[in-house]
Amino acid sequence: MTEFTPILSFSGGLLIGLAAVALMAVHGRIAGINGIVGGLLSLNINSDWAWRAAFIAGMVASPLVLLGATGQLPQISIPSSPALLLAGGFLTGVGTTLGSGCTSGHGVCGMSRLSARSIVATMTFMATGGVTVFLIRHVFGG
């Protein structure tokens, strides 16, 4: 069973939204992690590299901010094998490539701009997630 954490959830969503708005306002760019990391890993280093690196560094450093504010790091438990995690990561990469972006790009940024492609993509993500949970819990007995 998962915990109901409305304050933490609201705060996290608010920070994600503010980061997306700030990136759009300052750089005119969409905060899709797939695109940000893809540009960061590109062999063509240009003026975009600095803000991309800062954005990713902020994501990586955020647990340290939580540690400073609460005195504890987030508890993370991954009940899957390394092979399953690698397969999931690979399939996620394929999916974000085929879908022209990731869930954050489509769900947070694309839908807020009323992009039809992002609305359809997000509905597809949500429906697929719902079907997957149903299958794992009720068909395969996980």
Side-chain angles (χ1 to χ4, degrees), residues 65-120:
V65 174
L66 185 64
L67 176 63
T70 66
Q72 21 177 227
L73 287 170
Q75 298 296 319
I76 299 173
S77 173
I78 303 172
S80 295
S81 68
L84 192 57
L85 291 174
L86 286 172
F90 174 76
L91 290 173
T92 299
V94 170
T96 59
T97 301
L98 293 175
S100 299
C102 57
T103 53
S104 60
H106 285 299
V108 174
C109 302
M111 286 183 59
S112 66
R113 295 180 307 115
L114 301 177
S115 164
R117 178 177 77 173
S118 291
I119 292 169
V120 170

Side-chain angles (χ1 to χ4, degrees), residues 121-133:
T122 303
M123 289 188 325
T124 303
F125 300 149
M126 298 305 290
T128 303
V131 169
T132 301
V133 168

